[in-house]
């Protein structure tokens, strides 16, 4: 998804297995309408019981969970709410759902106990007895929809993550107040079973389904097959994981948002199914797109009926389904868009009468013909341009009053760059939500890859639980206290710098993400970006940003032990090195164009030296290891051949992305570049060493540099990369001090 900035950026489960699913979530009220009030709260349940919030806390804080009691709380005016009270060692958390109870407890942790959980580092050094709540902590959600995760998340964050990962991720999302989570895992099994019933063989479908790393774009109708064929055992395992994910979400009172059916079919569908009519969809990023089944036809209704039945058998029903009709260049042909939308909606309503249709607001979608044709009260637009496009000012006018969620996509492809347009969030969210006639009914946190920018995660999630506009300076004054465990002057100084720089950018330049470094770019003396659709320059002053590193290094030793501190130290040091590439490259260019071979040689050694230091730095952290990514992929294979196959699927999405036509012609190479150990010291260093050596040889021989077939080099490395360590090495403090000393 989002590859362009402007124009494109056998049966698996038996009935018995399906019956083992957790009870489906109740159908949702229409967007903007309050849900029914629950019955009066039953007696409090101690955390030693079987309550979902208590079970989560036992996982998160095994030494302290017995000091917390959770109890249901009626919604406040139809809105989710929590209340936290208690004396030392006896904390009472009341909330409208188990997830909201966890949200309330996390508010207590941050504001009273100076502790914190995140998807990237945590601080849980707590006293033996949890501190008392001096003044009750209360909050009511100001919007009913709190949606999280991008369609691309499974591809870019971790297509081969296991249950341990997902269990913790779900806990963290609940702690941050989200109540709608997109679940793409297991959709492959639904499609496989559906089209087995519509004339396709097992082998045909296993070839059509892409590898897990590439499945998000298949589900978006952008491409198919690449990274496949998949195996039946892989489909079975992914379906089992999806059942656990959706089951846990329901236990917590969170809505699993599942992909709906809007017309994607395997090749040749119209030739083998009587009465079917398909519309070719052309290409996307160098990939042929799957055909689109005309939603107005009886064939579409039959397929959709099968799809929703199979999906329900596997994962149960839910109350929200995500469908992006004609996404990123999809063509309707001669099919009227409004009629198609009504037919897609009818199929959804037939299967799930009260469900909400979630659709992404991106580029020109949803087209006005779509929102004009459907029941707007049961559609939710997830606005991906809220903090990206300065021309976006009136979504009520754009979408005819359709309920929408204020969204952010601060990360594309899993880039490791720090930053987010937080000033836009503080300036726009509350204003848009409270103005007369507002259709804003939610937030939508949608970075293409999760598990990065923890400050942005916390700040954005807080928007939905605030009484009014969030004051960024005050928020950032408190952030390092809960992030590291106590007040610290140097930590505050560091975050004041970060708030002004990486987290102080705005949409006025037309971007929502930070600029990547150039070490991960295909080499060229004039290169300005690694991914084809990334900022061409830094969006803040790098010299100002560098002031955060010595401040973080000067944080009190007692506060340096948490994974939160060590994550942030690595991230800031890494960003400093990454930014250095943009200062060095013009010097390399000048030396080459001046035919100063000695100067070019010295600068080349400096360039590669920075890359070596960057590799040393990121190798200290398990989440920055390419070897870990590869090991996860291989763990899903049943045979040696399948393990190799899955490894290529996982690696290619980070490097070439696809075959030559998509890597080069479609400009997808390095779309998911990231500064990870194994990539920096592997492929990226190989590319730059090859290029710089050729520049030197060209100067020595007084000739032009010979062209390099970068795709051939990248594809060969992806298939034959050698050893990739999967365990951290070194110490982040020592490596960060090296960076500071060299800056």
């Amino acid at each position: 998804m989002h590859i362009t900035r402007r124009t494109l950026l056998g049966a698996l489960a038996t009935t018995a297995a399906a019956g083992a699913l957790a009870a489906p979530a109740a159908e949702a009220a229409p967007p903007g309408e309050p849900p029914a009030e629950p019955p009066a709260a039953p007696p409090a349940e101690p955390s030693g019981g079987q309550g979902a919030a208590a079970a989560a806390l036992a996982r998160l804080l095994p030494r302290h969970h017995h000091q917390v009691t959770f109890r249901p709380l009626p919604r406040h005016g139809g809105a989710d709410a929590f209340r936290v009270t208690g004396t030392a060692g006896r904390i009472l958390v009341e909330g409208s759902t188990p997830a909201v109870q966890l949200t309330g407890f996390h508010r207590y942790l941050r504001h009273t106990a100076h502790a914190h959980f995140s998807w990237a580092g945590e601080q849980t050094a707590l006293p033996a007895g949890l501190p008392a709540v001096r003044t009750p902590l209360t909050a009511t959600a100001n919007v009913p929809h709190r949606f999280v995760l991008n369609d691309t998340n499974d591809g870019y964050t971790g297509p081969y993550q296991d249950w341990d990962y997902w269990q913790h991720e779900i806990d963290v999302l609940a702690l941050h107040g989200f109540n709608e989570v997109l679940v793409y895992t297991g959709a492959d099994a639904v499609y496989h079973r559906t089209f087995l019933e519509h004339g396709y063989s097992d082998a045909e479908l296993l070839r059509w389904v892409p590898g897990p790393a590439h499945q998000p774009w298949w589900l978006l109708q952008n491409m198919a097959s690449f990274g496949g064929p998949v195996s039946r055992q892989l489909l079975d395992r992914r379906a089992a994981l999806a059942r656990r994910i959706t089951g846990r979400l329901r236990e917590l009172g969170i809505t699993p948002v599942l992909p709906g059916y809007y017309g994607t079919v395997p090749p040749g569908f119209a030739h083998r199914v009587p009465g079917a009519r398909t519309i070719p969809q052309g290409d996307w990023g160098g990939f042929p797109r799957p055909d689109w089944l005309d939603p107005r036809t009886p064939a579409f209704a039959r397929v959709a009926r099968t799809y929703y039945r199979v999906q329900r058998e596997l994962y149960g029903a839910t109350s929200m389904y995500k469908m992006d009709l004609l996404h990123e260049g999809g063509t309707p042909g001669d099919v009227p868009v409004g009629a198609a939308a009504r037919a897609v909606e009818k199929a959804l309503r037939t299967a799930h009468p009260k469900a909400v249709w979630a659709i992404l607001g991106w580029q020109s979608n949803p087209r006005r013909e779509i929102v004009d044709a459907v029941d707007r009260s049961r559609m939710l637009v997830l606005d991906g341009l809220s903090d990206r496009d300065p021309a976006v000012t009136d979504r009520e006018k754009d979408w005819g009053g359709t309920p929408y969620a204020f969204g952010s996509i601060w990360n594309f492809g899993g880039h490791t760059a720090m930053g987010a347009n937080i000033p836009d969030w503080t300036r726009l969210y509350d204003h848009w939500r409270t103005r007369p006639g507002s259709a804003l009914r939610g937030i939508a946190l949608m970075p293409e890859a999760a598990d990065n920018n923890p400050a942005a995660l916390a700040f954005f999630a807080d928007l939905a639980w605030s009484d009014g506009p969030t004051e960024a300076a005050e928020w950032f004054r408190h952030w390092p206290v809960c992030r590291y465990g106590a007040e610290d002057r140097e930590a505050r100084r560091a975050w004041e710098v970060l708030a002004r720089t990486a987290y102080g950018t705005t949409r006025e330049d037309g971007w929502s993400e930070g600029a990547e470094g150039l070490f991960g770019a295909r080499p060229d003396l004039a290169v300005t970006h690694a991914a084809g659709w990334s900022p061409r320059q830094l969006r803040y002053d790098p010299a100002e940003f560098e002031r955060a590193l010595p401040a973080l290094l000067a944080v009190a030793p007692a506060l340096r032990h948490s994974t939160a501190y060590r994550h942030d130290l690595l991230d800031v040091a890494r960003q400093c090195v990454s930014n250095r590439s943009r200062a060095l490259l013009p010097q390399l260019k000048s030396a080459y164009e001046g035919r100063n071979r000695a100067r070019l040689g010295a600068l080349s050694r400096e360039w590669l030296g920075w890359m070596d230091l960057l590799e040393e730095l990121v190798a200290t952290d398990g989440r920055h290891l390419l070897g870990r990514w590869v090991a996860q992929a291989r763990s899903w294979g049943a045979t040696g051949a399948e393990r190799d196959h899955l490894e290529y699927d996982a690696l290619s999405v980070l490097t070439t992305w696809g075959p030559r036509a998509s890597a080069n012609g479609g400009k997808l190479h390095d779309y998911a570049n990231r500064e990870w150990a194994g990539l920096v010291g592997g492929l990226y260093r190989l590319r730059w060493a090859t290029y710089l050596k050729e520049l030197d040889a060209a100067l020595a021989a007084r000739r032009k540099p010979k062209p390099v077939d970068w795709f051939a080099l990248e594809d060969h490395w992806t298939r034959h990369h050698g050893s990739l360590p999967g365990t951290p090495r070194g110490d982040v403090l020592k490596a960060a001090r090296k960076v500071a000393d060299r800056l």
Side-chain angles (χ1 to χ4, degrees):
M1 189 167 89
H2 315 331
I3 67 166
T4 67
R5 183 181 177 209
R6 301 191 189 275
T7 61
L8 180 74
L9 214 315
L12 293 171
T14 63
T15 303
L21 292 168
E27 300 283 5
E33 294 184 15
E37 290 283 346
E45 179 180 30
S47 63
Q50 297 301 310
L57 193 59
R59 293 189 292 271
L60 296 164
L61 292 175
R63 294 190 300 111
H64 294 82
H65 71 99
H66 62 280
Q67 299 178 40
V68 183
T69 298
F70 293 101
R71 184 167 65 191
L73 181 73
R75 285 181 168 87
H76 185 269
D80 281 324
F82 64 74
R83 184 173 188 268
V84 187
T85 55
T87 58
R90 296 176 62 86
I91 307 302
L92 173 64
V93 182
E94 300 168 286
S96 44
T97 69
V100 172
Q101 293 164 14
L102 289 172
T103 306
F105 181 75
H106 199 225
R107 174 72 64 91
Y108 159 80
L109 275 186
R110 288 170 58 188
H111 291 267
T112 303
H114 299 164
H116 174 66
F117 284 94
S118 182
W119 58 21
E122 59 193 39
Q123 198 297 112
T124 58
L126 293 163
L130 292 175
V133 183
R134 295 184 178 180
T135 302
L137 297 172
T138 63
T140 300
N142 57 49
V143 284
H145 297 286
R146 302 180 300 280
F147 179 97
V148 65
L149 299 183
N150 196 297
D151 302 74
T152 66
N153 185 72
D154 277 5
Y156 291 143
T157 306
Y160 296 96
Q161 300 283 11
D162 59 13
W163 173 240
D164 286 344
Y165 167 86
W166 274 107
Q167 176 166 252
H168 186 74
E169 193 82 344
I170 292 168
D171 288 345
V172 168
L173 297 178
L175 289 166
H176 284 80
F178 295 101
N179 66 346
E180 296 161 352
V181 176
L182 185 62
V183 182
Y184 266 17
T185 305
D188 45 8
V190 179
Y191 273 91
H192 177 260
R193 278 188 54 176
T194 295
F195 286 104
L196 280 176
E197 297 188 24
H198 288 272
Y200 285 83
S201 70
D202 182 60
E204 287 175 317
L205 294 171
L206 294 178
R207 287 195 300 269
W208 182 55
V209 176
H214 291 83
Q215 285 187 18
W217 297 272
W218 169 62
L219 296 172
L220 288 164
Q221 205 175 35
N222 294 153
M223 48 84 76
S225 301
F226 190 81
V230 297
S231 70
R232 289 287 295 276
Q233 79 84 22
L234 184 64
L235 294 183
D236 286 346
R237 287 189 62 186
R238 286 173 57 77
L241 177 60
R243 285 193 290 273
R244 298 187 77 172
I245 293 171
T246 54
R248 177 57 54 77
L249 291 172
R250 291 182 178 108
E251 288 173 9
L252 289 168
I254 297 173
T255 299
V257 182
L258 302 178
Y261 185 72
Y262 55 100
T264 304
V265 291
F269 189 83
H271 297 295
R272 64 172 75 191
V273 177
R277 181 175 184 270
T278 57
I279 295 86
Q281 292 297 292
D283 289 349
W284 175 89
F287 286 97
R289 299 177 68 136
D291 288 344
W292 183 46
L293 179 59
D294 186 341
R296 302 171 301 165
T297 61
F300 178 92
R302 291 194 300 270
V303 173
R305 186 162 55 246
T306 306
Y307 177 94
Y308 287 119
R309 172 178 54 77
V310 168
Q311 189 180 59
R312 183 191 292 265
E313 289 170 357
L314 286 171
Y315 312 124
T318 190
S319 56
M320 182 177 285
Y321 293 83
K322 177 103 171 14
M323 297 182 284
D324 292 309
L325 200 59
L326 304 172
H327 173 77
E328 285 193 346
T331 176
D334 61 356
V335 178
V337 173
R342 281 192 295 271
V344 169
E345 182 184 38
K346 181 180 179 181
L348 175 63
R349 298 277 171 259
T350 300
H352 305 289
K354 297 181 180 180
V356 172
W357 176 352
I359 189 168
L360 181 66
W362 178 254
Q363 297 178 358
S364 60
N365 281 7
R367 306 182 191 206
R368 187 59 187 261
E369 303 100 302
I370 295 176
V371 297
D372 283 349
V374 303
D375 179 354
R376 292 173 181 163
S377 72
R378 294 194 180 280
M379 176 172 273
L380 180 69
V381 184
L382 309 167
D383 191 354
L385 297 175
S386 301
D387 66 347
R388 183 180 181 89
D389 187 346
V392 170
T393 59
D394 191 345
R395 285 315 202 186
E396 288 73 25
K397 179 180 179 181
D398 294 341
W399 297 324
T402 307
Y404 74 97
F406 181 91
S408 178
I409 307 176
W410 71 62
N411 175 284
F412 285 73
H415 305 154
T416 36
M418 294 180 68
N421 290 349
I422 286 182
D424 291 327
W425 305 348
T426 63
R427 181 174 61 90
L428 298 175
Y429 175 73
D430 200 68
H431 173 62
W432 287 4
R433 184 181 65 83
T434 60
R435 65 187 175 189
S438 175
L440 196 159
R441 297 293 184 270
I443 60 170
L445 183 70
M446 301 183 293
E448 285 200 339
D451 302 355
N452 52 66
N453 284 303
L457 164 66
F459 194 107
F460 193 86
D462 282 354
L463 293 175
W465 296 92
S466 301
D467 292 333
T470 303
E471 209 282 308
E474 178 61 27
W475 192 94
F476 275 106
R477 275 193 289 273
H478 179 73
W479 172 250
V481 180
C482 70
R483 184 70 175 159
Y484 307 141
E487 286 276 3
D488 184 273
R489 183 178 64 182
E490 297 299 328
R492 175 179 288 190
R493 285 181 53 208
W495 277 98
E496 287 173 350
V497 170
L498 296 174
R500 289 195 302 269
T501 55
Y503 295 101
T505 56
T506 76
R507 67 179 189 164
E508 293 308 310
D509 61 0
W511 300 101
S512 58
E513 77 270 35
E516 336 105 310
L518 302 180
F519 294 129
R522 276 188 178 176
D524 187 286
L525 290 176
V527 71
T528 60
H529 52 288
W533 293 272
S534 289
R536 273 49 176 170
Q537 59 187 17
L538 283 175
R539 304 176 61 219
Y540 53 82
D541 180 357
E544 173 71 3
F545 180 91
E546 286 179 6
R547 295 175 57 195
L549 182 56
L552 274 182
L553 284 167
V555 165
L559 303 183
R560 299 178 189 170
H561 303 293
S562 70
T563 57
Y565 172 78
R566 299 175 80 84
H567 171 276
D568 293 353
L569 180 62
L570 183 149
D571 217 18
V572 170
R574 179 206 50 73
Q575 192 67 57
C576 287
V577 178
S578 182
N579 292 350
R580 188 53 55 121
S581 65
R582 293 182 175 272
L584 271 177
L585 191 63
Q587 299 176 46
L588 279 164
K589 186 174 186 289
S590 178
Y592 175 76
E593 291 177 344
R595 306 192 67 79
N596 188 335
R597 190 180 174 200
R599 175 71 172 155
L600 179 68
L603 287 169
S604 296
R605 289 188 292 275
E606 185 177 357
W607 180 275
L608 296 176
W610 278 110
M611 294 188 75
D612 292 340
L613 181 53
L614 181 56
E615 173 81 2
E616 179 184 345
L617 174 69
V618 293
T620 63
D621 179 69
R623 292 195 176 198
H624 288 74
L625 301 181
L626 184 62
R628 184 171 174 263
W629 178 270
V630 168
Q632 289 170 344
R634 295 186 66 84
S635 73
W636 285 75
T639 66
E642 185 177 24
R643 286 189 283 272
D644 292 344
H645 187 72
L646 299 180
E647 177 178 333
Y648 179 74
D649 175 52
L651 276 178
S652 60
V653 79
L654 304 185
T655 56
T656 59
W657 212 100
R660 185 182 291 272
S662 58
N664 292 350
K667 301 181 181 180
L668 289 179
H669 70 84
D670 298 301
Y671 183 88
N673 75 86
R674 52 196 68 184
E675 288 159 345
W676 280 3
L679 272 176
V680 173
L683 175 61
Y684 299 167
R685 195 184 196 284
L686 172 62
R687 286 196 302 204
W688 279 103
T690 300
Y691 182 68
L692 295 171
K693 181 179 180 181
E694 178 55 26
L695 291 184
D696 178 70
L699 287 183
R702 298 181 178 275
R703 59 169 173 80
K704 291 183 178 180
K706 297 176 183 177
V708 179
D709 185 341
W710 292 118
F711 176 80
L713 181 149
E714 294 155 358
D715 191 58
H716 182 272
W717 185 89
T718 299
R719 299 176 188 273
H720 308 284
H721 48 70
S723 175
L724 292 171
T727 56
R729 59 187 185 275
D731 180 75
V732 66
L733 283 161
K734 292 179 180 178
R737 289 191 184 106
K738 273 191 185 181
V739 172
D741 291 345
R742 195 177 294 187
L743 288 173

